[in-house]
Every structure is written in C-alpha cells, then in structure tokens.
Coordinates of all heavy atoms in Angstrom, one line a residue:
M231 N -25.2 13.4 8.7 CA -23.8 13.7 8.7 C -23.5 14.9 7.9 O -24.0 15.1 6.8 CB -23.1 12.5 8.1 CG -21.6 12.7 8.0 SD -20.7 11.3 7.2 CE -20.1 10.5 8.6
K232 N -22.7 15.8 8.5 CA -22.4 17.1 7.8 C -21.3 16.8 6.8 O -20.3 16.2 7.1 CB -21.9 18.1 8.9 CG -21.6 19.4 8.3 CD -21.2 20.4 9.4 CE -20.8 21.7 8.8 NZ -20.3 22.6 9.8
R233 N -21.5 17.3 5.6 CA -20.5 17.1 4.6 C -19.5 18.3 4.6 O -19.9 19.4 4.8 CB -21.1 17.0 3.2 CG -21.8 15.7 3.0 CD -22.4 15.7 1.6 NE -23.0 14.4 1.4 CZ -22.5 13.4 0.6 NH1 -21.4 13.6 0.0 NH2 -23.1 12.3 0.5
L234 N -18.3 18.0 4.3 CA -17.2 19.0 4.2 C -17.4 19.8 2.9 O -17.3 19.2 1.9 CB -15.9 18.4 4.4 CG -14.7 19.3 4.3 CD1 -14.7 20.3 5.5 CD2 -13.4 18.5 4.4
Q235 N -17.6 21.1 3.0 CA -17.7 21.9 1.8 C -16.4 22.7 1.6 O -16.0 23.5 2.5 CB -18.9 22.9 1.9 CG -20.2 22.1 2.0 CD -20.6 21.4 0.7 OE1 -20.3 22.0 -0.4 NE2 -21.2 20.3 0.8
L236 N -15.8 22.6 0.5 CA -14.5 23.4 0.2 C -14.7 24.3 -1.0 O -15.3 23.8 -2.0 CB -13.4 22.5 0.0 CG -12.9 21.6 1.1 CD1 -11.8 20.7 0.7 CD2 -12.4 22.5 2.2
P237 N -14.3 25.5 -1.0 CA -14.3 26.3 -2.2 C -13.5 25.7 -3.3 O -12.3 25.3 -3.0 CB -13.8 27.7 -1.8 CG -13.1 27.4 -0.5 CD -13.6 26.2 0.1
M238 N -14.0 25.6 -4.5 CA -13.2 25.0 -5.6 C -12.8 26.2 -6.5 O -13.4 26.4 -7.6 CB -14.1 24.0 -6.3 CG -14.4 22.8 -5.4 SD -13.0 22.0 -4.8 CE -12.3 21.3 -6.2
D239 N -11.7 26.9 -6.2 CA -11.3 28.0 -7.0 C -10.2 27.6 -7.9 O -9.5 28.4 -8.5 CB -10.9 29.2 -6.1 CG -9.8 28.8 -5.1 OD1 -9.4 27.6 -5.1 OD2 -9.3 29.7 -4.4
T240 N -10.0 26.3 -8.1 CA -9.0 25.8 -9.0 C -9.5 24.5 -9.7 O -10.3 23.8 -9.1 CB -7.6 25.5 -8.3 OG1 -6.7 25.0 -9.2 CG2 -7.8 24.5 -7.2
T241 N -9.0 24.2 -10.8 CA -9.3 23.0 -11.5 C -8.2 22.0 -11.4 O -8.3 20.9 -11.9 CB -9.7 23.3 -13.0 OG1 -8.5 23.9 -13.6 CG2 -10.9 24.1 -13.1
D242 N -7.1 22.3 -10.7 CA -5.9 21.4 -10.6 C -6.3 20.4 -9.6 O -6.4 20.6 -8.4 CB -4.7 22.2 -10.2 CG -3.4 21.4 -10.1 OD1 -3.5 20.2 -10.2 OD2 -2.4 22.0 -10.0
P243 N -6.4 19.1 -10.0 CA -6.7 18.0 -9.1 C -5.7 17.8 -8.0 O -6.1 17.5 -6.8 CB -6.8 16.8 -10.0 CG -6.2 17.1 -11.3 CD -6.2 18.6 -11.4
E244 N -4.5 18.1 -8.2 CA -3.5 17.9 -7.1 C -3.7 19.0 -6.0 O -3.6 18.6 -4.8 CB -2.1 18.0 -7.7 CG -1.7 16.8 -8.5 CD -0.2 16.9 -9.0 OE1 0.6 17.6 -8.3 OE2 0.1 16.2 -10.0
V245 N -4.0 20.2 -6.4 CA -4.3 21.2 -5.4 C -5.5 20.9 -4.6 O -5.6 21.0 -3.4 CB -4.4 22.6 -6.1 CG1 -4.9 23.7 -5.1 CG2 -3.1 23.0 -6.7
W246 N -6.6 20.4 -5.3 CA -7.8 20.1 -4.7 C -7.6 19.0 -3.7 O -8.1 19.0 -2.6 CB -8.8 19.7 -5.8 CG -10.2 19.4 -5.2 CD1 -11.2 20.3 -4.9 CD2 -10.7 18.1 -4.8 NE1 -12.3 19.7 -4.4 CE2 -12.0 18.4 -4.3 CE3 -10.2 16.8 -4.8 CZ2 -12.8 17.3 -3.9 CZ3 -11.0 15.8 -4.3 CH2 -12.3 16.1 -3.8
L247 N -6.9 17.9 -4.1 CA -6.6 16.8 -3.2 C -5.8 17.2 -2.0 O -6.1 16.7 -0.9 CB -6.0 15.6 -3.9 CG -6.8 14.9 -4.9 CD1 -6.0 13.9 -5.7 CD2 -7.9 14.1 -4.1
E248 N -4.8 18.0 -2.2 CA -4.0 18.5 -1.1 C -4.9 19.3 0.0 O -4.8 19.0 1.1 CB -2.9 19.4 -1.6 CG -2.0 19.9 -0.5 CD -0.9 20.8 -1.0 OE1 -0.4 20.5 -2.1 OE2 -0.5 21.7 -0.3
R249 N -5.7 20.1 -0.5 CA -6.6 20.9 0.4 C -7.6 19.9 1.1 O -7.8 20.1 2.3 CB -7.4 21.9 -0.4 CG -6.7 23.1 -0.9 CD -7.6 24.0 -1.6 NE -6.8 25.1 -2.2 CZ -7.4 26.0 -3.0 NH1 -8.6 25.9 -3.4 NH2 -6.6 26.9 -3.6
M250 N -8.2 19.0 0.3 CA -9.1 18.1 0.9 C -8.5 17.3 2.0 O -9.0 17.1 3.1 CB -9.7 17.2 -0.2 CG -10.8 16.3 0.3 SD -12.2 17.3 0.7 CE -13.4 16.0 0.8
N251 N -7.3 16.7 1.7 CA -6.7 15.8 2.7 C -6.3 16.6 3.9 O -6.4 16.1 5.0 CB -5.5 15.1 2.0 CG -5.9 14.1 1.0 OD1 -7.0 13.6 1.0 ND2 -5.0 13.8 0.1
T252 N -5.7 17.8 3.8 CA -5.3 18.6 4.9 C -6.5 19.0 5.8 O -6.5 18.8 7.0 CB -4.5 19.9 4.4 OG1 -3.4 19.5 3.7 CG2 -4.1 20.7 5.6
D253 N -7.5 19.5 5.2 CA -8.7 20.0 5.9 C -9.4 18.8 6.6 O -9.8 18.9 7.8 CB -9.7 20.7 5.0 CG -9.2 22.0 4.5 OD1 -8.2 22.5 5.1 OD2 -9.7 22.5 3.5
R254 N -9.5 17.7 5.9 CA -10.2 16.6 6.4 C -9.4 15.9 7.6 O -10.0 15.6 8.6 CB -10.4 15.5 5.3 CG -11.4 14.5 5.7 CD -11.7 13.7 4.5 NE -13.2 13.7 4.3 CZ -13.8 13.2 3.3 NH1 -13.1 12.5 2.4 NH2 -15.1 13.2 3.2
S255 N -8.1 15.8 7.4 CA -7.3 15.2 8.5 C -7.3 16.0 9.8 O -7.4 15.5 10.9 CB -5.9 14.9 8.1 OG -5.2 16.2 7.8
E256 N -7.3 17.4 9.6 CA -7.4 18.2 10.8 C -8.7 18.0 11.5 O -8.8 17.9 12.7 CB -7.3 19.7 10.4 CG -5.9 20.1 10.0 CD -5.7 21.5 9.5 OE1 -6.6 22.3 9.9 OE2 -4.8 21.8 8.8
I257 N -9.8 17.9 10.8 CA -11.1 17.7 11.4 C -11.2 16.4 12.1 O -11.7 16.3 13.2 CB -12.2 17.8 10.3 CG1 -12.4 19.2 9.7 CG2 -13.6 17.3 10.8 CD1 -13.2 19.3 8.5
I258 N -10.6 15.3 11.5 CA -10.6 14.0 12.1 C -9.8 14.0 13.4 O -10.2 13.5 14.4 CB -10.1 13.0 11.1 CG1 -11.1 12.8 10.0 CG2 -9.8 11.6 11.8 CD1 -10.5 12.0 8.8
W259 N -8.6 14.6 13.4 CA -7.8 14.7 14.6 C -8.4 15.5 15.7 O -8.4 15.1 16.9 CB -6.4 15.3 14.3 CG -5.5 14.3 13.6 CD1 -5.1 14.2 12.3 CD2 -4.9 13.1 14.2 NE1 -4.3 13.1 12.1 CE2 -4.2 12.4 13.2 CE3 -5.0 12.5 15.5 CZ2 -3.5 11.2 13.5 CZ3 -4.3 11.3 15.7 CH2 -3.5 10.7 14.7
E260 N -9.1 16.6 15.3 CA -9.8 17.4 16.3 C -11.0 16.6 17.0 O -11.2 16.6 18.2 CB -10.4 18.7 15.7 CG -9.3 19.7 15.4 CD -9.8 20.9 14.6 OE1 -11.1 20.9 14.4 OE2 -9.0 21.7 14.2
K261 N -11.7 15.8 16.2 CA -12.8 15.0 16.7 C -12.2 13.9 17.6 O -12.8 13.6 18.7 CB -13.6 14.4 15.6 CG -14.8 13.6 16.1 CD -15.7 13.2 15.0 CE -17.0 12.6 15.6 NZ -18.0 12.3 14.6
M262 N -11.1 13.3 17.2 CA -10.5 12.2 18.0 C -10.1 12.8 19.4 O -10.3 12.2 20.4 CB -9.3 11.6 17.3 CG -9.8 10.7 16.1 SD -8.4 10.1 15.1 CE -7.3 9.5 16.3
D263 N -9.5 14.0 19.4 CA -9.2 14.7 20.6 C -10.4 14.9 21.5 O -10.3 14.6 22.7 CB -8.5 16.0 20.3 CG -7.0 15.9 19.9 OD1 -6.4 14.8 20.1 OD2 -6.5 16.9 19.3
R264 N -11.5 15.4 20.9 CA -12.7 15.6 21.7 C -13.2 14.3 22.3 O -13.8 14.3 23.4 CB -13.8 16.3 20.8 CG -13.6 17.7 20.5 CD -14.8 18.4 20.0 NE -15.4 17.7 18.9 CZ -15.1 17.8 17.6 NH1 -14.2 18.6 17.2 NH2 -15.7 17.1 16.6
L265 N -13.1 13.2 21.6 CA -13.6 11.9 22.0 C -12.6 11.2 23.0 O -12.9 10.2 23.5 CB -13.9 11.0 20.8 CG -15.0 11.5 19.9 CD1 -15.1 10.6 18.7 CD2 -16.4 11.5 20.7
G266 N -11.4 11.8 23.1 CA -10.4 11.2 23.9 C -9.7 10.0 23.3 O -9.2 9.1 24.0
I267 N -9.8 9.8 22.0 CA -9.1 8.7 21.3 C -7.6 9.1 21.1 O -7.3 10.1 20.6 CB -9.8 8.5 20.0 CG1 -11.3 8.1 20.2 CG2 -9.1 7.4 19.2 CD1 -12.1 8.0 18.9
T268 N -6.8 8.2 21.5 CA -5.3 8.4 21.4 C -4.7 7.6 20.2 O -5.4 6.7 19.7 CB -4.6 8.0 22.7 OG1 -4.7 6.6 22.8 CG2 -5.2 8.7 23.9
E269 N -3.5 7.9 19.9 CA -2.8 7.1 18.9 C -2.7 5.6 19.3 O -2.8 4.7 18.5 CB -1.5 7.7 18.5 CG -1.6 9.0 17.8 CD -0.3 9.5 17.3 OE1 0.6 8.7 16.8 OE2 0.0 10.7 17.5
Q270 N -2.5 5.4 20.6 CA -2.4 4.0 21.1 C -3.7 3.3 20.9 O -3.8 2.1 20.6 CB -2.0 4.0 22.6 CG -1.8 2.6 23.1 CD -0.6 1.9 22.4 OE1 0.4 2.5 22.2 NE2 -0.9 0.7 21.9
D271 N -4.9 4.0 21.1 CA -6.2 3.4 20.9 C -6.3 2.9 19.4 O -6.8 1.8 19.1 CB -7.3 4.4 21.1 CG -7.4 4.7 22.6 OD1 -7.1 3.9 23.5 OD2 -7.8 5.9 22.9
I272 N -5.8 3.7 18.5 CA -5.8 3.4 17.1 C -4.9 2.1 16.8 O -5.3 1.2 16.1 CB -5.4 4.5 16.2 CG1 -6.2 5.8 16.4 CG2 -5.3 4.1 14.7 CD1 -7.7 5.6 16.1
T273 N -3.7 2.1 17.4 CA -2.8 1.0 17.2 C -3.5 -0.3 17.8 O -3.4 -1.3 17.1 CB -1.5 1.3 18.0 OG1 -0.9 2.5 17.4 CG2 -0.5 0.2 17.8
D274 N -4.1 -0.2 18.9 CA -4.7 -1.3 19.5 C -5.9 -1.8 18.7 O -6.0 -3.0 18.5 CB -5.2 -1.0 20.9 CG -4.1 -0.7 21.9 OD1 -3.0 -1.1 21.6 OD2 -4.4 -0.1 23.0
A275 N -6.6 -0.9 18.1 CA -7.8 -1.3 17.3 C -7.3 -2.0 16.0 O -7.9 -3.0 15.6 CB -8.6 -0.1 16.9
I276 N -6.2 -1.5 15.4 CA -5.7 -2.1 14.2 C -5.2 -3.6 14.5 O -5.5 -4.5 13.8 CB -4.6 -1.3 13.6 CG1 -5.2 0.0 13.0 CG2 -3.8 -2.1 12.5 CD1 -4.1 1.0 12.6
E277 N -4.5 -3.7 15.6 CA -4.0 -5.0 16.0 C -5.2 -6.0 16.3 O -5.1 -7.1 15.9 CB -3.1 -4.9 17.3 CG -1.8 -4.3 17.0 CD -0.9 -4.0 18.3 OE1 -1.4 -4.5 19.4 OE2 0.1 -3.4 18.2
W278 N -6.2 -5.5 16.9 CA -7.4 -6.3 17.2 C -8.0 -6.7 15.9 O -8.4 -7.9 15.8 CB -8.4 -5.5 18.1 CG -9.7 -6.2 18.3 CD1 -9.9 -7.1 19.3 CD2 -10.8 -6.1 17.5 NE1 -11.2 -7.6 19.2 CE2 -11.8 -7.0 18.1 CE3 -11.2 -5.3 16.4 CZ2 -13.1 -7.1 17.6 CZ3 -12.5 -5.4 15.9 CH2 -13.4 -6.3 16.5
A279 N -8.2 -5.8 15.0 CA -8.8 -6.1 13.7 C -8.0 -7.1 12.9 O -8.6 -8.0 12.2 CB -9.0 -4.9 12.9
R280 N -6.7 -7.0 13.0 CA -5.9 -8.0 12.2 C -5.9 -9.4 12.8 O -5.7 -10.4 12.1 CB -4.5 -7.4 12.1 CG -4.3 -6.3 11.2 CD -2.9 -5.7 11.2 NE -2.9 -4.6 10.2 CZ -1.8 -3.8 10.1 NH1 -0.8 -3.9 10.9 NH2 -1.9 -2.8 9.3
R281 N -6.2 -9.5 14.1 CA -6.3 -10.8 14.7 C -7.6 -11.5 14.3 O -7.6 -12.8 14.3 CB -6.3 -10.7 16.2 CG -4.9 -10.4 16.8 CD -5.0 -10.6 18.3 NE -6.0 -9.7 18.9 CZ -5.7 -8.7 19.7 NH1 -4.5 -8.4 20.0 NH2 -6.7 -7.9 20.2
G282 N -8.6 -10.8 14.0 CA -9.9 -11.3 13.7 C -10.0 -11.9 12.4 O -10.6 -12.8 12.0

C-alpha cells in the first residue's frame, strides 16, 4: 500500500490535520470515482452493516 507523503513545513497540528484531511479525502473520492462507487453505494453499505 502506498503511503501518503506530505511536506511538513509547519509544526502547527491544526494546519497539518487540515492538509492531511483535505489531501486524503480528495484521493479517496478520486479512487471511488475510478471504481464506480457512488454515494448511494456508501449509504446502502452503511444500512447493510447496521442491520447485521
């Protein structure tokens, strides 16, 4: 698994977390698009998991 590498030019944890969350969420959404996973698929999966 490829790890996400971010430059750490700040020691402010809030800035670091904001960058990490933004970059990571974009990567996740792009991968979901490539795989054809929709928001409805996510909703269905959550409902299925909660029933189990």
Side-chain angles (χ1 to χ4, degrees):
M231 174 183 262
K232 183 178 177 183
R233 290 184 176 248
L234 180 62
Q235 297 290 324
L236 295 174
M238 296 303 293
D239 58 357
T240 181
T241 57
D242 183 346
E244 289 184 24
V245 172
W246 186 84
L247 286 172
E248 182 179 324
R249 287 183 188 170
M250 186 66 166
N251 290 338
T252 300
D253 291 344
R254 195 171 237 177
S255 66
E256 288 176 25
I257 291 169
I258 292 168
W259 283 108
E260 288 171 6
K261 185 170 185 175
M262 288 174 50
D263 285 340
R264 285 194 310 273
L265 295 172
I267 299 171
T268 66
E269 288 186 46
Q270 186 60 52
D271 294 330
I272 302 298
T273 300
D274 293 345
I276 292 169
E277 289 175 6
W278 174 84
R280 288 179 177 167
R281 283 192 303 250

